[in-house]
Amino acid sequence: MAKQLIADLHGCGEIIDDPERIREAAHTAIKYVGAEIVEECIHEFSPIGVTYFAVITTSHFSVHTWPEYGYAAIDIFSCTDTVVEGIAEKLKELFEAKEVTLRTIEREINKGE
Amino acid sequence: MAKQLIADLHGCGEIIDDPERIREAAHTAIKYVGAEIVEECIHEFSPIGVTYFAVITTSHFSVHTWPEYGYAAIDIFSCTDTVVEGIAEKLKELFEAKEVTLRTIEREINKGE
């Protein structure tokens, strides 16, 4: 069973309009969950908004931001079944958010085995 | 409101161990949902497994495969609130899957507006 963490961050700071700061925050969060980056890409949308994606050793870490709404959507797809303690607080701090909503989805990798 | 489509594909064919065929299938699926690719990356895990990720005009399209279990996890994050008709059948056909389970998650981009 894999876990996918769906984090919705509202009331974010200016960081979510800055690709380099998003990359730094992502690196810290990825380290925090105990994964390593295999490959990453970052894209700035015109006129506003950033997408960051990293293939990590345990699957993926993605960030989409809508600076006009102070909103960031973060997914952490992990092929381990543990959810790291305190990840909501960590994301809140890193992306300077006022509010974080966390949902967990289970992905059944090896069904019937 | 954005929609995120979570598709779990079981009983997939050999395609899920072939990065180039995964890329082709992803391109077809992305076209099918009416989006365009902005940037993409693909990674082969050792000894087995592929991750494909595309930043698309409406957010992202990701594929993770576990060929040893015949399983592929596909996410389509879309900042429009429509879900394309027949997408489950389309993914099933493209990835030669026996079974597709589809879930939809709502992401509240502009909360309180």
Side-chain angles (χ1 to χ4, degrees):
Chain A
M1 191 71 77
K3 296 257 190 222
Q4 186 166 355
L5 220 66
I6 306 283
D8 294 297
L9 284 69
H10 291 277
C12 293
E14 288 177 359
I15 177 177
I16 65 165
D17 198 23
D18 184 332
E20 278 318 306
R21 288 183 65 202
I22 289 172
R23 190 197 297 266
E24 277 168 33
H27 287 191
T28 307
I30 290 165
K31 200 172 169 189
Y32 186 82
V33 299
E36 277 172 43
I37 295 168
V38 174
E39 215 162 303
E40 67 178 354
C41 65
I42 193 154
H43 183 80
E44 277 188 80
F45 282 91
S46 173
I48 201 170
V50 176
T51 286
Y52 170 88
F53 184 84
V55 179
I56 56 176
T57 40
T58 54
S59 288
H60 82 234
F61 184 95
S62 70
V63 183
H64 295 287
T65 74
W66 280 262
E68 67 274 42
Y69 299 123
Y71 171 73
I74 299 181
D75 285 19
I76 309 175
F77 192 131
S78 172
C79 56
T80 62
D81 67 354
T82 49
V83 172
V84 174
E85 281 288 319
I87 185 68
E89 276 310 306
K90 193 70 186 172
L91 293 175
K92 191 174 174 183
E93 174 199 323
L94 287 170
F95 292 88
E96 301 162 1
K98 290 206 178 81
E99 197 188 323
V100 175
T101 314
L102 211 62
R103 286 173 279 182
T104 308
I105 295 173
E106 299 198 328
R107 311 286 300 244
E108 208 173 352
I109 294 174
N110 51 346
K111 200 173 180 176
E113 295 211 4
Chain B
M1 191 70 79
K3 297 257 189 219
Q4 187 167 354
L5 220 66
I6 306 282
D8 294 298
L9 284 67
H10 291 277
C12 293
E14 287 177 359
I15 178 177
I16 66 165
D17 198 23
D18 183 332
E20 278 318 307
R21 290 183 65 201
I22 290 172
R23 190 198 298 265
E24 277 168 33
H27 287 192
T28 307
I30 290 165
K31 201 173 169 190
Y32 186 83
V33 299
E36 275 172 45
I37 295 168
V38 174
E39 216 163 303
E40 65 178 356
C41 65
I42 193 155
H43 183 81
E44 278 189 78
F45 282 92
S46 175
I48 201 170
V50 175
T51 286
Y52 169 89
F53 183 84
V55 179
I56 56 176
T57 40
T58 54
S59 287
H60 83 234
F61 184 97
S62 70
V63 182
H64 295 287
T65 74
W66 280 263
E68 66 273 42
Y69 299 123
Y71 172 73
I74 299 181
D75 284 20
I76 308 176
F77 192 129
S78 172
C79 56
T80 62
D81 65 356
T82 49
V83 172
V84 174
E85 281 287 319
I87 186 66
E89 276 309 307
K90 194 69 187 172
L91 293 175
K92 191 174 173 183
E93 175 200 322
L94 287 169
F95 292 88
E96 302 162 359
K98 291 208 178 81
E99 199 189 321
V100 176
T101 313
L102 211 62
R103 284 173 281 181
T104 307
I105 295 173
E106 299 198 327
R107 312 287 300 246
E108 207 171 354
I109 295 175
N110 50 346
K111 201 175 181 176
E113 294 211 5

